[in-house]
Amino acid sequence: MRLNPNTFTCEQDLCSHISIKPTGNTQYEIYAIDDKGCEASDVFTIFVAKSNKVFVPTAFTPNGDGNNDTWTIKGANKTFYPTSSISIFNRFGKLISKVDIDSQGWNGTYNGKTLPSDDYWYSIELIPADTSKPPIIKKGHFSLLRK
């Protein structure tokens, strides 16, 4: 098997998994020959997102309609931010919830009880796996809306 660019060659069964880490958009050509001499090739492109934009919603409506039922940040997960802290507070500063970065988000409850429509505050700290990138720290508020 050959993988271009960065000419990569492997023999026998040593190539069942290949790991590449492109730093930018890169087109690769893969060429393989099986043990019977059959050949195949393909070309593919890996697109690398350069931004580290994390979206924090300003409101959510936990009414069970399947739209915006949880307060969830977008653009972050444990793969890219293995160390994270996401905390939600009420207007008096009481900790209401700690949200796991890979969870479905916060559903608007505290100790199993539905909380009322109100503004809630968040504190987010995301430490990237790529230590050359700075941590993301965000604080702000959002609205829980019920009808």
Side-chain angles (χ1 to χ4, degrees), residues 15-144:
C15 295
S16 61
H17 293 52
I18 297 172
S19 177
I20 54 177
K21 294 183 179 182
T23 57
N25 296 347
T26 307
Q27 184 174 26
Y28 290 91
E29 177 181 10
I30 190 164
Y31 175 79
I33 303 173
D34 70 9
D35 57 350
K36 295 182 177 144
C38 296
E39 300 178 19
S41 66
D42 201 356
V43 175
F44 62 95
T45 303
I46 294 179
F47 297 95
V48 177
K50 296 277 186 184
S51 78
N52 61 345
K53 302 231 181 204
V54 173
F55 173 73
V56 180
T58 57
F60 78 113
T61 56
N63 58 10
D65 68 356
N67 295 313
N68 300 315
D69 284 333
T70 59
W71 184 82
T72 308
I73 65 169
K74 306 276 194 253
N77 61 42
K78 280 188 181 173
T79 300
F80 295 105
Y81 301 98
T83 304
S84 64
S85 172
I86 304 169
S87 301
I88 299 171
F89 304 89
N90 69 7
R91 67 172 55 235
F92 305 107
K94 180 178 181 176
L95 178 64
I96 299 297
S97 183
K98 292 195 77 68
V99 179
D100 184 88
I101 195 168
D102 283 341
S103 75
Q104 295 296 315
W106 182 52
N107 64 0
T109 63
Y110 177 68
N111 287 337
K113 295 182 181 173
T114 300
L115 291 176
S117 292
D118 206 345
D119 277 356
Y120 293 85
W121 278 254
Y122 62 85
S123 176
I124 299 170
E125 183 175 8
L126 306 174
I127 309 298
D130 181 349
T131 56
S132 69
K133 295 183 179 178
I136 295 173
I137 298 172
K138 292 183 176 250
K139 294 182 181 199
H141 65 93
F142 62 93
S143 297
L144 185 162

